[in-house]
Amino acid sequence: MENILCKFESNWSLTLIPHKELIDKKISVKSFGELIETGYLTIPAKVPGNFELDLYNAGIEPDPFFSENAYIYQRYENRHLFYSTKFISDKHGTKNTFLRFEGIDTVADIILNGEVIAHTDNMFIEHEINVENKLIIGENELLVHIYPTMIEARKYEIKPNHRAQEYNYASLFIRKSAAMFGWDILQRFVSGGIWKKVSLIEKTEDRLEQAYLYTSAIDKKNNKAKLHCFYEVKTECDLLCEFKIRVEGKCGDSVFSAEKRLWHTYGEADIEIENVKLWYPRNKGEQNLYDIKVSLLKDEKVLDYKEIKFGVRTVELVRTSTTNEKGEGEFCFKINGERVFCMGTNWVPLDSFPSRSLERTEKALTLAYDCGCNIIRVWGGSVYESDEFYNFCDQKGIMVWQDFCMGCGTYPQDAILQEKLRKEAVAVVKRLRNHPSLILWAGDNENDICIKGWHNVKANPNDNVLTRKILPEVILDYDRVRPYLPSSPYVDDYAFRTNLPLSEEHLWGPRDYFKGNFYKNSVCHFASETGYHGCPSPKSLEKFISQSQLWPIKNGSEVNPDWTCHAAEMDTVNKGPYYYRTDLMINQYGTLFDKEAESLEEFSKGSQISQAEAKKYFIERFRIGKWRRTGIIWWNLIDGWPQISDAVVDYYYTKKLAYHYIKRSQERLSLMFDEPENGKLKLFAANDYQADLIGKYKVTDVLSGEIISEGEFKVSCDSSEAIAEIPETKEFKFLLIEWETDNGVKGKNHFTTKTLNISLEKYLKALEKAGFNQFEGF
């Protein structure tokens, strides 16, 4: 239990000072008075917040998301940020009084009443500072000096062996979201700010510092499970004989209680649960959550307690390092000993300014749930998500694949970074480990691939001490039962030596025809990234691209500057590494359709069709191959800023056509055609229900009205089986597939027999007739 003495939610000011001027003028600020004397710009600030938003709200700079305005904010990468506020205290502070910063971005000094009381250097974790005898009875001054990230990054030597993407070298040593330096999914805003809540708290004298719950065994036959509660207690008492730990839990009619005397300030309570109710992911079973209360008692009086929503379940990742065309390999998650087929999305930053992400979280998660996802991969270029995120996933049965925050780089191996990462990992693992939805820790995003192949220097990723030593040690120490994957994709020693196809892959490749050889011939069991571009709707485009540049997209051979900016290219002079992305979208449109678009509306609709057909193909290919294939996590659900991208929902929550196609392809029962083989098209029933299903189906050519095939079908539980076949056709046909089972499960899907050089007009007519004309924002 803890008492919140003060919430720092208002009355903040922000002063910005350029670095060179701070150095040349020898400015050193420890108080409000000194800050005012500098004479530099001071504006109202929001906490939680980011300084760019304060500049915009103060009318100093324009909307960072419109036109090329994002580039203006690059001029602020040299600013020192001084956040200041005052508060009243009626006590001096004790050894149990703490200032809690849930998130500071990034390198900062915390100054209380003129004294530097802490230094922080990690955006991802909470910082608690003891303020015993640091408070003044009456008015107190709190100052947070945030140093410019790009200046701080210069303190660390980057060696030729350390590589990053063009705009991301400064991110290698700085523990800050890599995407904020610029990525193909986000424009560059190397922001700073107090991006999470700040509070002054008082903890109890004798307290429960941590409680870690885990399931070691499940006995389904006898409906039992073994649960363990590791605990840590803080106390100044000499003797512990009068202290006890009590663990109580309830889920419906399943109840348990255990109690034991304290022999040390650390220990573990072992509990056998009768009539256990297990937690399963979506499509596999119920999401049973126990309300568990872990209490610290002395002389039968409760001194402190923690309340935890906990799902009893086991998790296992069954994998081989490589595979082949025969499917002689594996990459499969098992929950409670049962295989789970995974369908879901990669989760990238919800906003360029992370202080705004929380307000977007529930709506984005609701979209993921609505379109049928049962897994989300929290991508390594982002941040560790809020408690609200993981709570939602626990309740809805959405499994979470959690990357540690590193991506697309060969990171330094220095002791400095090792220690930073170890401290971060301990904090993150301890915060998240009680969530049943969290099924995997992954060391990073694509670093193994980068180490193995950049500039044809064949370094061995298994020499990476960060992901082969630091992180597995932390997980073994603090979360002993959850799987760990050193990288995604993971190149272990065998894969490195043999160079055989990996069991888990990121399927990007040439980004050409979505049914081309690269996608069609991939042999991986699990795809944890794959995507395809789709243009936002005209109404959305009008919100961030100036009217004069909306159409045509290109001026001769050059892409209009606004489009380039919102394809996340950061370089205003040269054609940088992300300049290609608008042309990529245009080319993908040209692959599908037989002539160029004549208007923005035509182009946007055609591009969205291209994306929708691609994502549908990727998902259905994996579902048809169940259990030879075991999961697909497509890229991605929603944009974190207005842009040209693979997202199926734009920044303004306007759904692209692909969202609706994905929703049908990810239905728990979905009927779908495989690609032609030997002159035939096979119709499959992909069934994620845990029961056999019997029903009727009908396949109709919507443009002619002809019924191509109809009949009864039966499909086994948790399987994908061929139920019918029809002759292949070389002509364009839009086949509407409809079904209903004996127990009332209804659904619709479609199959396009030709996806090269087709007529947009004919496709749109077919969409209308099928009832799938679900364009938004036109």
Side-chain angles (χ1 to χ4, degrees), residues 173-384:
F173 267 105
I174 303 295
R175 298 309 297 149
K176 173 183 175 78
S177 169
M180 296 176 75
F181 296 83
W183 212 275
D184 58 11
I185 56 155
L186 281 181
Q187 183 53 262
R188 180 183 177 92
F189 292 99
V190 188
S191 189
I194 304 171
W195 72 285
K196 288 188 175 183
K197 295 177 182 177
V198 185
S199 55
L200 181 67
I201 63 168
E202 186 81 25
K203 297 184 180 183
T204 55
E205 179 80 17
D206 302 305
R207 60 183 179 269
L208 192 60
E209 195 73 4
Q210 61 170 313
Y212 164 45
L213 299 163
Y214 66 95
T215 308
S216 64
I218 290 172
D219 180 355
K220 291 184 184 177
K221 182 179 179 180
N222 296 301
N223 202 23
K224 296 179 180 180
K226 288 185 178 180
L227 180 67
H228 306 269
C229 177
F230 175 85
Y231 55 81
E232 176 192 359
V233 169
K234 292 285 188 185
T235 181
E236 295 296 320
C237 292
D238 288 354
L239 298 174
L240 301 176
C241 55
E242 296 175 338
F243 287 86
K244 288 193 295 187
I245 289 288
R246 180 184 294 154
V247 185
E248 304 164 284
K250 186 178 189 301
C251 180
D253 61 357
S254 177
V255 179
F256 66 84
S257 180
E259 192 172 281
K260 65 181 296 184
R261 179 193 152 177
L262 217 62
W263 292 96
H264 184 44
T265 51
Y266 293 88
E268 186 162 291
D270 303 324
I271 304 148
E272 186 167 284
I273 306 176
E274 306 276 352
N275 185 31
V276 67
K277 294 185 181 296
L278 300 179
W279 183 94
Y280 281 95
R282 186 182 190 186
N283 298 341
K284 201 68 183 179
E286 295 182 4
Q287 289 78 59
N288 294 306
L289 290 172
Y290 280 81
D291 292 308
I292 294 180
K293 186 176 183 179
V294 184
S295 304
L296 173 67
L297 300 88
K298 183 180 182 184
D299 296 330
E300 298 303 319
K301 179 184 177 182
V302 175
L303 304 177
D304 193 16
Y305 63 88
K306 292 186 181 294
E307 292 180 319
I308 302 165
K309 289 273 191 183
F310 185 75
V312 177
R313 62 102 182 94
T314 59
V315 57
E316 180 184 4
L317 173 60
V318 181
R319 65 169 293 278
T320 58
S321 61
T322 63
T323 189
N324 56 31
E325 291 180 0
K326 297 178 181 178
E328 296 171 332
E330 187 65 283
F331 192 100
C332 184
F333 289 102
K334 287 186 174 182
I335 305 296
N336 303 326
E338 300 177 33
R339 294 184 301 179
V340 178
F341 187 86
C342 300
M343 298 181 293
T345 181
N346 279 270
W347 188 268
V348 303
L350 293 180
D351 202 288
S352 292
F353 304 112
S355 63
R356 300 198 299 198
S357 292
L358 182 59
E359 65 194 53
R360 295 172 60 83
T361 297
E362 184 177 1
K363 194 166 184 177
L365 283 170
T366 301
L367 289 167
Y369 186 80
D370 176 68
C371 72
C373 296
N374 71 349
I375 191 168
I376 287 174
R377 174 175 175 249
V378 182
W379 170 69
S382 186
V383 298
Y384 306 99

Side-chain angles (χ1 to χ4, degrees), residues 71 167 184 533 553-561 563-586 644:
Y71 300 141
Y167 307 113
D184 58 11
H533 266 27
I553 297 171
K554 300 175 78 169
N555 183 5
S557 63
E558 301 295 317
V559 176
N560 288 334
W563 286 82
T564 297
C565 178
H566 290 272
E569 177 50 54
M570 287 125 238
D571 195 329
T572 61
V573 178
N574 303 303
K575 292 182 180 179
Y578 304 134
Y579 180 87
Y580 79 96
R581 290 178 66 80
T582 305
D583 276 326
L584 175 66
M585 178 179 63
I586 293 170
I644 314 308

Side-chain angles (χ1 to χ4, degrees), residues 431 475 576:
R431 179 170 76 89
I475 292 163

Side-chain angles (χ1 to χ4, degrees), residues 6 34 130 136 163 174 190 232 239 263 276 287 314 366 384-385 404 417 419 469 498 556 571 600 604 641 671 701 776:
C6 181
E34 293 172 350
N130 181 249
I136 297 170
R163 289 192 55 78
I174 303 295
V190 188
E232 176 192 359
L239 298 174
W263 292 96
V276 67
Q287 289 78 59
T314 59
T366 301
Y384 306 99
E385 277 297 332
F404 284 94
L417 187 55
E419 186 51 37
K469 183 177 187 295
T498 61
D571 195 329
L600 181 60
S604 181
W641 94 299
L671 270 56
D701 176 4
E776 299 181 17

